[in-house]
């Protein structure tokens, strides 16, 4: 029906507005584009994130768009004016997925800091930080009645949280695709440890990795550590022992 062209880097996520008239696309070029779904034309280009944008979601009334970014923030946009309504800060690593509750009052965000945060959409305040996953959280979704929130993780589990977001309702295990699992703690020499966005030695933090250099794969040979980054960079570092 349409081929929508205009982004200058990979497109990572798309979402239709509730009425189906608009489409939002999130890109590694650090922008979100709003398209006329019928004509395939660009209505707005939303700029403000400092790194890749990996997730988008419309509010149930279609008036607000949420974008999740590797700059560790979520932005809430007015879809009528392209103004930023809120910038939600609190995660310590990439945010890769967002979802509105059915009533539009709260927003959930999934992050590589192993947590899910629940936000008040109107005030931008963090209501809850949900901890339970042991690796990157990559997706969140609300049930149609809004009473349950589901989170999916690289730890091969789905966790279902109750309506108050304070306790686990159920943990779903048994996913067997180990070959697709991205390890958060690669096998390195005993003295060197890579976790989230830090390189540590003997428990001491040595190096903080900026967002564009944080690895999704790590390899080691003697004292040489190779980081494969989401950006496409390969970073080679040598550590003295």
């Amino acid at each position: 029906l349409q081929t929508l062209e205009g982004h200058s880097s990979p497109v990572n996520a798309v979402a239709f507005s509730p009425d189906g008239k608009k489409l939002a696309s999130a890109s590694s070029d650090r922008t979100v584009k709003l398209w006329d779904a019928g004509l395939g034309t660009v209505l707005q280009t939303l700029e403000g994130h400092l790194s890749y944008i990996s997730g988008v979601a419309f509010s149930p009334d279609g008036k607000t768009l949420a974008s999740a970014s590797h700059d560790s923030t979520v932005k809430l946009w007015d879809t009528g004016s392209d103004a930023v309504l809120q910038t939600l800060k609190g995660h310590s690593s990439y945010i890769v997925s967002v979802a509105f509750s059915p009533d539009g009052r709260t927003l959930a965000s999934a992050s590589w800091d192993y947590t899910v945060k629940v936000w008040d959409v109107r005030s931008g305040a963090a209501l809850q930080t949900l901890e339970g996953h042991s690796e990157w959280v990559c997706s969140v979704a609300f049930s149609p009645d809004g009473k349950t929130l589901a989170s999916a993780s690289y730890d091969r589990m789905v966790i279902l949280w109750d309506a108050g977001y304070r306790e686990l309702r159920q943990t779903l295990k048994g996913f067997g695709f180990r070959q697709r699992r991205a390890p958060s703690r690669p096998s390195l020499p005993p003295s060197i440890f890579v976790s989230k966005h830090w390189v540590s030695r003997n428990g001491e933090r040595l190096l903080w990795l900026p967002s564009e250099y944080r690895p999704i794969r790590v390899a080691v040979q003697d004292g040489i550590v190779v980081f494969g980054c989401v950006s496409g960079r390969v970073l080679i570092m040598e550590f003295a022992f």
Side-chain angles (χ1 to χ4, degrees), residues 77-120:
W77 309 82
D78 183 324
T79 58
S81 68
D82 76 15
V84 177
L85 303 174
Q86 299 282 352
T87 298
L88 311 181
K89 300 180 180 180
H91 282 294
S92 60
S93 189
Y94 306 147
I95 305 172
V96 294
S97 177
V98 283
F100 281 94
S101 61
D103 62 10
R105 296 179 180 178
T106 56
L107 180 84
S109 57
S111 173
W112 282 14
D113 65 7
Y114 305 2
T115 71
V116 172
K117 286 186 181 292
V118 181
W119 311 83
D120 181 280

Side-chain angles (χ1 to χ4, degrees), residues 3-15 23-35 40-47 49 51-54 56 65 67:
T3 298
L4 310 182
E5 297 180 275
H7 284 293
S8 60
S9 289
V11 180
N12 303 315
V14 288
L23 180 79
S25 57
S27 172
S28 294
D29 66 9
R30 306 181 184 183
T31 72
V32 174
K33 289 186 181 294
L34 292 180
W35 309 80
T41 57
V42 177
L43 301 173
Q44 293 162 281
T45 298
L46 310 180
E47 299 180 87
H49 280 295
S51 189
Y52 315 124
I53 305 174
S54 49
V56 282
L65 180 74
S67 57

Side-chain angles (χ1 to χ4, degrees), residues 123-144:
S123 68
L127 302 175
Q128 295 287 339
T129 298
L130 309 180
E131 299 177 318
H133 286 292
S134 59
E135 292 194 20
W136 303 331
V137 187
C138 52
S139 185
V140 283
F142 282 93
S143 61

Side-chain angles (χ1 to χ4, degrees), residues 188-224:
L188 298 176
S191 61
I192 294 201
F193 185 74
V194 178
S195 180
K196 297 183 183 178
H197 45 268
W198 281 97
V199 179
S200 303
R201 183 172 62 189
N202 297 328
E204 179 185 359
R205 287 178 171 178
L206 296 178
L207 178 66
W208 178 83
L209 298 168
S211 60
E212 64 268 28
Y213 292 102
R214 292 173 193 168
I216 56 173
R217 294 289 187 273
V218 177
V220 65
Q221 178 66 44
D222 298 325
I224 299 175

Side-chain angles (χ1 to χ4, degrees), residues 175-188:
F175 301 97
F177 298 99
R178 295 186 61 90
Q179 68 273 22
R180 297 191 64 181
R181 182 185 181 196
S184 59
R185 291 176 174 83
S187 298
L188 298 176

